[in-house]
Structures are given as C-alpha cells and as structure tokens.
Amino acid sequence: MTRTLDRRTFSQLLAMSLAAAATSSVPAWAQAKKRNVVIGHTGITWPGRAGGGRRGGGPPPPPDPALNETIFKDVSELGFAGLELFDWQINGLESQGLLSGFVEKYKLPLVSSYTSVNLTDPAQRTDTIAAAVAVGKVMKKYGGKTIVIGPNGRVGGESYNYNDHKQNIVTTLNELGKAITDIGLIAALHQHTGTAVE
C-alpha cells in the first residue's frame, strides 16, 4: 500500500529531520568537557623495505629511505601526533643519518618502537635487553616514550608449551622492564598472537 504525504505533513517531517540532524549527537554533559586526546600511528601500515624484507638468510636489508620518508609524510599529513616504527627501522635510519631529518621535516615525534625481544632463550637475555635499551636511547632523542615489546615466536611450533618457558619469559620481562624504566621510557608488552607469551 502506497501512502502519500500532503505538503504540510511533508514540511513538518522535513523540519523535524533537519532539527534532529542539526542537534549534536554528543550528550550535553560531554559537550562542555575539554578533550585532550593524542593519537599516534604505527608504521606497520606502510612497507619500510623494498621487497618486503629478509630472503634467503643473512642480515635484513636496511630500511629504504624513500619508503620510510613516505611513512613520515603520510602520517604527518593525516594529522597524527606521533609515529611508531620498528626497531630495525629506527636503528637503520639513525645509522644512515636520516632519522633526525625526517622527524624535523615532518614535525612528527617518534613516540614508540615496536622492538623484537627474545623472551625464551636465557643465553640471549643480555643481548636482547642491550639491543632494546640501545633503540630506547635513540628514541629518547626524538620524543620517544615507549618500547613496545614484540615477543619472539613459539619455540618448537605446535609442540610449544608456555609453562616450559614461563620462568625465562618472566625473568626477561622483569629485567627488560627495569632497564627500560632506568632510561626513562615505558616498557609495554604486546601479547601478539603466535608468540611465546600467547
């Protein structure tokens, strides 16, 4: 059944719709509250290396300067307040003498590093903590606040048993957390799927 509206009913409905659309959807109590939300972005959205990374063993190739400048440019133009990069990008761009230029040119603080950490092998504990502290010191120069701990994968694949590695994981996290705090940064665990902490 088709209904027709007369001009008066149509005008009333239109006026009510426009009034509803013009009214803020934010409740009155929230309208007066000043917000200070700062949002950063992770560089994982963009490739940092040409060809996607390591192939056939050996050390990973250095970060591509042009691809990484695109990350800074795009994130800055989109209005984000800061950027997170991977530790290999930070170390590589710093060793190439490019990191400070990108941070300054795009007025984009490097607020965090997604840092790969081996939590399960006690023989690597000292080196993995030293590497995280080293990237943390670079981060501090560029406004950094957080080291995001990216745990290693599950040792043994499907046969992995968390309880077999729990003590090494806890000890490494505690020592790493203290070392990162000692240089004035925050250590934050990323409980990524498929890693030793899952």
Side-chain angles (χ1 to χ4, degrees), residues 5-120:
L5 295 176
D6 60 48
R7 187 178 305 198
R8 182 176 181 178
T9 304
F10 174 78
S11 296
Q12 288 173 339
L13 288 173
L14 179 61
M16 287 189 301
S17 297
L18 290 173
T23 304
S24 174
S25 61
V26 177
W29 61 267
Q31 290 178 23
K33 191 171 189 178
K34 182 171 169 59
R35 304 278 180 201
N36 188 18
V37 177
V38 179
I39 300 174
H41 196 289
T42 179
I44 197 171
T45 310
W46 288 260
R49 290 186 178 120
R54 187 184 316 205
R55 293 211 170 119
D64 181 289
L67 291 176
N68 282 273
E69 184 166 13
T70 299
I71 295 170
F72 275 88
K73 179 178 180 294
D74 289 352
V75 171
S76 175
E77 287 177 355
L78 289 169
F80 288 98
L83 176 63
E84 174 184 275
L85 291 177
F86 290 99
D87 53 350
W88 58 266
Q89 288 171 293
I90 293 166
N91 288 331
L93 293 171
E94 179 75 352
S95 70
Q96 294 173 37
L98 299 171
L99 193 54
S100 64
F102 291 164
V103 169
E104 290 172 25
K105 181 176 180 179
Y106 296 103
K107 308 290 185 243
L108 192 66
L110 188 60
V111 293
S112 63
S113 168
Y114 189 91
T115 304
S116 299
V117 176
N118 188 307
L119 297 177
T120 55

Side-chain angles (χ1 to χ4, degrees), residues 140-152:
K140 284 189 72 166
K141 291 175 22 180
Y142 303 110
K145 296 178 177 27
T146 305
I147 295 293
V148 178
I149 301 166
N152 58 293

Side-chain angles (χ1 to χ4, degrees), residues 16 59 72 125-126 138 146 174 178:
M16 287 189 301
F72 275 88
R125 185 175 300 140
T126 299
V138 174
T146 305
N174 283 334
K178 182 182 182 319

